[in-house]
Amino acid sequence: MNVLIIEDEKPAARRLNRMLAELDIEVQQMLHSVEESLSWLQNNPHPDLIFLDIQLSDGLSFEIFEEIEVKSAIIFTTAYDEYALKAFKLNSIDYLLKPLDEDELKVAVKKFKENQPKQSDVQVNLDDIRKLLVNPVDRKFKKRISIKVGQHIKIINIDEVECFYSENKATYIHTSENRNYLLDGSLENWQEQLDPEKFFRVNRTFIININSIKDIIAYSNSRLKLILNTYQDSEIIVSRERVKDFKNWID
């Protein structure tokens, strides 16, 4: 059995490695960030099983699935609360609550071995998990953004934002007035504050407002190219792994 650990806290990764070794399971590799994981998975055969922390040093581990079609079974390691854990049960995806317990790890590994899926059968519905991780009754999404412009503070209605995008490790918005503004915080942090009915993460760089889409064009490798109302600084391509979810989103 080939096993991969993706965990940004190196002491936690080493501890899990030791716990698995006691179960006679050899870990193939330990990775610590989204960027590192993407690079490794793009250049190596996918393992049978991945132990995956949800929050990594450079973003949410969900980003890995948005870029790559992962064929491995997943056991999430998480510190989320009880409500969130129900989401994993509903999606038939296993989880281990931090700090990891040896007996619970044994049970999870045994469950995987007894029900080991073929790699072609492994499917992770990220959008369903995202929705279930947050109680929609309690969730309040961003309605406006305040931005410092010189000595002034500008208030922008969220509906005026055509897209959020990252560039040179910074995050920006582009508005319907054809203006760009620098934001505090990462693209991942902003994504969690946006109404998923209106905004969609099309790739690692762009989050798009559905009302800003002017045209959708078939692109190479089964991808889609988006033309927005005013944004023209660079091409916006829906990654191949996100095309199906994108089409469901716009319907």
Side-chain angles (χ1 to χ4, degrees), residues 1-39:
M1 183 168 66
N2 295 320
V3 173
L4 180 67
I5 293 174
I6 302 178
E7 162 68 67
D8 68 328
E9 297 178 6
K10 293 184 179 181
R14 289 193 293 267
R15 179 171 181 267
L16 176 55
N17 189 17
R18 290 194 299 268
M19 293 168 72
L20 289 170
E22 292 175 2
L23 299 175
D24 294 323
I25 296 173
E26 184 176 350
V27 174
Q28 186 177 1
Q29 185 76 28
M30 291 191 293
L31 306 170
H32 308 292
S33 68
V34 172
E35 200 70 37
E36 189 178 17
S37 301
L38 282 172
S39 176

Side-chain angles (χ1 to χ4, degrees), residues 34-35 38-39 41-42 46 61-70 126 201-206 223 237-242:
V34 172
E35 200 70 37
L38 282 172
S39 176
L41 289 166
Q42 286 169 340
H46 291 191
S61 58
F62 297 131
E63 292 179 68
I64 297 168
F65 300 96
E66 291 170 351
E67 291 293 315
I68 298 174
E69 186 179 355
V70 177
L126 296 177
R201 181 82 173 265
V202 297
N203 54 41
R204 292 199 72 210
T205 305
F206 283 93
R223 296 175 296 171
I237 308 298
V238 182
S239 65
R240 187 172 57 181
E241 292 76 16
R242 303 291 289 157

